[in-house]
Amino acid sequence: MINKMIDKVVDGRDFQVAKERERIGRISGMLGILLNFILFAVKGLLGLFTGSIALIADAFNNLTDTASSVITIIGFKMAGKEPDKEHPYGHGRIEYLTGLTISVLIIVVGYQFVVSSFKKILSPSPVTSSPLIIAILVLSLSFKLFIYYFNKRLGKKVDSSTLLATAQDAIGDVLTTSVVILGLILSQYTALPVDGFIGVLIALYIIFSGLRLSLETINPILGEKPEKELADKIKKRVLSYEHIHGVHDLQIHNYGPAKTMATIDVEVPHDMNLVELHNVVDKIERHIREDLNISLVIHVDPINYKDERYMEVKKIVGDIALGIDNIISFHDFRYTGHSEDELIILEVVVDSRNTSEKDRSEIRKELEEKLHQRFKTARIMITVDLDVAVL
C-alpha cells in the first residue's frame, strides 16, 4: 500500500526539479502534522490520566514531530525558490538547514524531559494504567511505523536527507513508545520510580537522535566528500567517449539535492584538432547534464602519447610513486628536456584518512629523493593532493 502511495506521489515526475521537491515535502509534511498531532493529543491525555511523566514526554516528542513537519513544509517551500541575484545557484541548501533545525528542536525537547524525569525520580508519584491504555498505545505504534516506511521509501526515491531524517526520527519514536508501554506495565508491580527512570532513558535517546541527525545534515552544508558510486559513474561515462585517455581531479559541489556542479580534468592527444576537441567536450558536458542532472565543466590536459621517451619516464615515475605508502594515484605529469635540462612535474594523491600534514611533507620528501636517485640531474616539482576528489 505504501509503495502504491509513493508511486502516485512521484510517478512520471522529475523530482530533481525544485518545485516537484516542494510538492513532495508538502505531502510528507501534511501527513506528519495530521498523524503526529493525533498521537500527541492521545498520549498527552493518557499521560495526564495515568500521571506518567514518561508518557507525557513521549507525547511532547510527538508534538515536536508535528512542529518538525511544519518546518519541513516551510523548508521545502523556501528551497524551491528560483535562483535570484544574491543566490544564483538556487536555494536548495535550505533543505539541509531544515533538517538541522529539526535536529536542534529534538535536542531541546530531550533536555527538557531529562530534567522533568529526574524530578519524577526524586519526587515519585503513583502511575495508573489499564489494558485499554496499553492497547491504545500499541495501536499508536502503527501510526509511527507508517510514517517511518512512507518517509524512508519516499526519501530514497527523491534523495532527500530531510525525509530520511524524518523517517529515522519516526522509528526512534516506535522504540520510545514501546519503552513507555513497558514502564506502565512494570509500574503496577513495584514501588520504585520506574516511570522516572524510563523517562530519562527516553529523553536521552531523543537527545542522541537529535545529535545524530544534526551531524548528518551538517556534513552536506560544510561540504562532504563525494559518494564513490557517483564519482565512479561520472568517471566511467567520461572515459567512454572517443579521444579521452584518462581523467583526474574530479570535484563535486552540491548546492542542494536538485543542484549539483562538478569539474574534471581529461587527458587528450596533444595534436588533436581544437574544433574537434571542443565538440567532444561539449557533447560530454551536455550528456552528463541530461543523464545525471550534473553541470559538468571539463578542463583539458594535452598528452603526447606518441613520445616514447615521455611514456617511458611516466611509467618509471608512476612505479616509484605508487610504491610509496598512502599514495593512491598520480596525474598532471609533465616531462621536458634531456640531460641537464630535464624537468619532471607531477601531482600525487594521498589517502586523507591516514596522512597528516607532517606525513604529506614526508611523502613528498621521500618521493623527491627516490626520483633524484633515478633522474640525477632533473629538476623535480611535486604537488601533494588529498583524495577529496575520489579520483
Side-chain angles (χ1 to χ4, degrees):
M1 182 185 75
I2 294 177
N3 285 332
K4 289 183 179 180
M5 290 181 63
I6 292 174
D7 288 340
K8 288 184 178 180
V9 172
V10 302
D11 190 32
R13 297 177 182 269
D14 183 2
F15 39 78
Q16 294 300 319
V17 175
K19 288 299 180 183
E20 285 300 326
R21 297 185 71 82
E22 178 187 338
R23 184 183 68 88
I24 290 168
R26 185 168 61 250
I27 292 172
S28 173
M30 292 301 295
L31 182 66
I33 290 172
L34 175 63
L35 297 182
N36 282 307
F37 190 78
I38 291 174
L39 291 175
F40 162 70
V42 171
K43 292 180 183 178
L45 291 173
L46 291 178
L48 293 174
F49 176 75
T50 61
S52 169
I53 186 64
L55 186 49
I56 294 175
D58 195 27
F60 274 88
N61 185 33
N62 291 139
L63 183 62
T64 64
D65 293 338
T66 303
S68 298
S69 297
V70 174
I71 294 172
T72 297
I73 294 174
I74 296 173
F76 273 98
K77 177 72 175 177
M78 296 178 68
K81 289 175 60 180
E82 295 294 331
D84 52 34
K85 187 187 302 182
E86 290 77 20
H87 309 93
Y89 301 114
H91 301 77
R93 283 180 176 170
I94 291 179
E95 192 172 325
Y96 301 139
L97 293 174
T98 300
L100 183 59
T101 302
I102 293 172
S103 302
V104 172
L105 185 60
I106 291 172
I107 293 170
V108 171
V109 171
Y111 170 75
Q112 291 174 340
F113 278 102
V114 166
V115 176
S116 300
S117 298
F118 268 116
K119 289 181 179 178
K120 187 65 179 287
I121 293 173
L122 297 176
S123 303
S125 58
V127 175
T128 59
S129 183
S130 70
L132 177 61
I133 291 174
I134 300 299
I136 292 173
L137 290 177
V138 171
L139 181 62
S140 74
L141 294 177
S142 62
F143 283 65
K144 277 297 179 180
L145 286 172
F146 176 81
I147 294 174
Y148 166 71
Y149 284 112
F150 181 82
N151 283 284
K152 182 179 180 180
R153 294 179 183 178
L154 186 59
K156 287 185 175 180
K157 280 269 189 179
V158 305
D159 189 25
S160 170
S161 60
T162 298
L163 295 184
L164 291 175
T166 301
Q168 190 62 38
D169 185 42
I171 200 63
D173 292 342
V174 171
L175 175 62
T176 56
T177 300
S178 300
V179 175
V180 168
I181 294 172
L182 177 63
L184 288 174
I185 295 174
L186 293 177
S187 294
Q188 308 308 307
Y189 300 98
T190 178
L192 295 173
V194 175
D195 182 61
F197 287 115
I198 288 179
V200 170
L201 292 176
I202 293 174
L204 291 175
Y205 180 83
I206 292 171
I207 293 173
F208 170 77
S209 298
L211 290 173
R212 186 187 65 246
L213 293 176
S214 66
L215 291 176
E216 291 175 358
T217 53
I218 286 174
N219 283 336
I221 296 174
L222 294 178
E224 59 187 345
K225 185 175 180 178
E227 294 182 1
K228 188 177 186 303
E229 293 77 9
L230 176 60
D232 289 342
K233 184 181 293 186
I234 295 173
K235 175 185 178 182
K236 185 177 179 180
R237 287 295 301 274
V238 174
L239 285 171
S240 69
Y241 290 84
E242 189 179 6
H243 305 301
I244 306 298
H245 294 276
V247 297
H248 56 267
D249 275 357
L250 172 63
Q251 303 285 342
I252 302 175
H253 307 280
N254 189 317
Y255 290 91
K259 182 68 174 180
T260 301
M261 303 179 71
T263 61
I264 193 171
D265 289 10
V266 300
E267 297 176 358
V268 299
H270 78 289
D271 55 355
M272 188 174 177
N273 179 273
L274 185 60
V275 174
E276 184 181 3
L277 175 59
H278 173 270
N279 290 338
V280 172
V281 169
D282 186 66
K283 182 193 297 184
I284 297 173
E285 291 175 341
R286 184 174 67 255
H287 288 173
I288 293 293
R289 182 171 58 252
E290 293 171 350
D291 299 341
L292 302 180
N293 195 37
I294 295 174
S295 298
L296 181 67
V297 176
I298 295 176
H299 171 80
V300 173
D301 283 340
I303 304 296
N304 187 358
Y305 293 98
K306 298 177 182 178
D307 187 327
E308 293 182 3
R309 176 60 177 168
Y310 169 87
M311 297 303 294
E312 178 189 0
V313 173
K314 182 178 181 181
K315 184 179 185 312
I316 294 172
V317 171
D319 290 342
I320 293 174
L322 296 178
I324 296 176
D325 290 343
N326 291 319
I327 292 184
I328 299 172
S329 63
F330 76 102
H331 56 80
D332 280 347
F333 176 77
R334 297 289 182 271
Y335 173 74
T336 58
H338 300 280
S339 65
E340 70 276 2
D341 296 323
E342 282 185 308
L343 172 63
I344 296 175
I345 303 174
L346 74 154
E347 295 184 20
V348 295
V349 178
V350 299
D351 187 348
S352 60
R353 294 168 299 179
N354 299 320
T355 56
S356 64
E357 185 174 347
K358 182 180 179 181
D359 294 331
R360 295 193 289 275
S361 177
E362 292 176 352
I363 288 173
R364 180 190 289 107
K365 182 179 179 181
E366 180 182 355
L367 178 56
E368 188 172 336
E369 288 176 351
K370 289 186 175 182
L371 290 177
H372 273 306
Q373 291 174 7
R374 180 63 178 80
F375 304 94
K376 299 186 184 302
T377 61
R379 289 181 294 145
I380 298 172
M381 301 174 63
I382 301 171
T383 301
V384 178
D385 290 335
L386 296 176
D387 62 335
V388 294
V390 180
L391 303 178

